[in-house]
Amino acid sequence: MKLVFFSETDDPAPWREALRTALPGIDFRVWPDVGDPADVRYTLVWKPPAGWHRRFPALRAILSLGAGVDALLEDPDLPAGVPITRMVDAGMGRQMAEYAAHGVMHFHRRMPEYAALQREGRWQPLECPAATEFPVGVLGLGVLGAQAAQMLVAMGYPVNAWTRTPRTLPGVTCYAGDAGRAAFLAGSRVLVNFLPLTPDTRGLIDRSLLAGLPRGAYLVNLARGGHVVEDDLLAALDDGQLAGAMLDVFGSEPLPVGHRFWRHPRVIVTPHIAAVTMAEGAADQVIENLKRLEAGDTPRGLVDRSRGY
Ligand code: NAP
Ligand code: GLV
């Protein structure tokens, strides 16, 4: 069974070690050392170039190193009919929940204003609402969003969530679809984005969505940069509709030198680190899926190409 690993950001060594130990028959290759491409049955990838998969005529499945598969699905030359699997949690749920909780508390406890006061050498206590008065809106209540929502509930925040189809989660007020959007937004002081990037969600966080939030709300985006219309976000920050944004993901990554987000006083930038796939927590999932695929069983985290996630 030949598998080709491709990633410009992940070290193949721990993956090779884990997969060779669990699957002694595996021929683990790291791009570009693939040998005969006609023998390749599986790829384990993060953001391969467009058209890259075309060279493997006997491909049985594409295994994504990430939870989000938008970059794969945007490839117009992705082989049709080949199953794609994505990471399901794989240690990222805890990391994403930590990032979201940090962002919410950072804004709730007015840390950006204290940082500005410190720069001026001013000792100035500010009023702060109780957590119960600071409702959080979670966009997307899937594998990762649900864990963050549960952590925020445990921290005492009222939590709203918005999904494509109706969902329930203890302690969370759930809204779905267009019908639920206005009430969800109006009741959220801070919006935390956990949506997959799909044709339906691209550009969703635009002027009209931001205008639906209470004035002076906050945004924490740890899903994808493509969800945000950057000019609309900057305008909302500049006119006070939004009081601050913590951004981990961007339309163009790395965030280009000179981009306004870098120096905006109400924007916090992190370099797509809200959650990283670590082989230690994720290799078992890949091993299990390779076994299932070899046995003709349905793998975990199978992507629905028509839905885009
Ligand atoms: P998931 O389990 O597939 O959950 C997706 C959620 O989004 C579901 O609740 C789904 O609704 C909802 N949704 C999808 N399309 C929607 C639409 N058009 N309108 C409203 N809701 C919609 O995904 P996940 O594993 O939680 O991952 C979420 C995303 O996190 C990934 O796609 C990736 O982009 C991002 N991510 C970022 C990092 C980072 O380091 N920054 C790391 C990992 C992942 P239903 O429940 O109705 O299906
Ligand atoms: C990272 O962004 C992922 O989708 O896993």
Side-chain angles (χ1 to χ4, degrees):
M1 173 199 348
K2 191 193 273 186
L3 174 146
V4 179
F5 180 98
F6 181 102
S7 171
E8 289 175 348
T9 48
D10 300 87
D11 178 4
W15 292 95
R16 185 194 293 114
E17 170 74 21
L19 268 61
R20 279 188 182 161
T21 304
L23 305 164
I26 197 166
D27 182 3
F28 185 101
R29 300 295 185 110
V30 180
W31 173 261
D33 172 28
V34 295
D36 183 355
D39 298 340
V40 173
R41 275 194 213 169
Y42 302 105
T43 60
L44 178 58
V45 294
W46 178 244
K47 293 191 177 175
W52 182 81
H53 276 100
R54 259 187 328 199
R55 54 179 49 79
F56 307 123
L59 202 59
R60 292 194 188 170
I62 298 167
L63 291 83
S64 166
L65 282 162
V69 289
D70 43 289
L72 280 170
L73 295 181
E74 278 164 18
D75 179 354
D77 286 326
L78 198 68
V82 174
I84 301 169
T85 67
R86 68 185 198 89
M87 288 294 168
V88 180
D89 189 341
M92 285 186 275
R94 168 80 202 183
Q95 299 174 62
M96 293 286 270
E98 286 168 358
Y99 189 104
H102 170 80
V104 169
M105 287 185 83
H106 191 77
F107 292 130
H108 164 220
R109 297 305 304 263
R110 305 185 69 170
M111 290 301 157
E113 290 146 284
Y114 285 118
L117 287 166
Q118 181 179 349
R119 283 193 292 275
E120 293 171 20
R122 287 173 60 200
W123 182 272
Q124 174 67 64
L126 303 170
E127 279 186 20
C128 175
T132 51
E133 304 299 319
F134 199 80
V136 181
V138 175
L139 285 167
L141 200 59
V143 174
L144 304 177
Q147 288 185 62
Q150 281 167 325
M151 186 182 280
L152 290 160
V153 167
M155 289 162 68
Y157 292 102
V159 177
N160 306 312
W162 187 70
T163 51
R164 192 176 57 85
T165 57
R167 299 277 166 192
T168 56
L169 192 67
V172 176
T173 306
C174 293
Y175 300 87
D178 289 344
R181 179 176 139 146
F184 164 77
L185 292 172
S188 301
R189 284 285 303 276
V190 52
L191 193 65
V192 188
N193 181 25
F194 283 92
L195 291 171
L197 184 61
T198 70
D200 287 341
T201 64
R202 179 173 289 281
L204 183 88
I205 303 177
D206 63 359
R207 187 161 173 263
S208 110
L209 180 140
L210 295 170
L213 293 166
R215 190 157 179 84
Y218 300 90
L219 171 69
V220 178
N221 186 18
L222 62 170
R224 286 290 184 266
H227 290 125
V228 175
V229 178
E230 293 186 349
D231 285 343
D232 290 3
L233 172 57
L234 284 163
L237 287 162
D238 291 342
D239 74 15
Q241 171 58 18
L242 272 199
M246 182 177 284
L247 308 175
D248 185 53
V249 286
F250 304 91
S252 176
E253 297 182 5
L255 185 63
V257 175
H259 194 289
R260 274 192 68 199
F261 286 152
W262 279 118
R263 298 204 175 276
H264 197 288
R266 284 187 290 285
V267 174
I268 298 165
V269 169
T270 56
H272 201 143
I273 48 67
V276 292
T277 307
M278 287 183 280
E280 197 182 294
D284 285 352
Q285 199 169 118
V286 170
I287 292 161
E288 175 63 24
N289 269 348
L290 289 171
K291 286 182 180 164
R292 288 191 192 190
L293 287 158
E294 285 292 290
D297 296 334
T298 305
R300 195 168 168 217
L302 188 63
V303 172
D304 178 341
R305 285 197 190 204
S306 63
R307 249 180 12 173
Y309 67 101

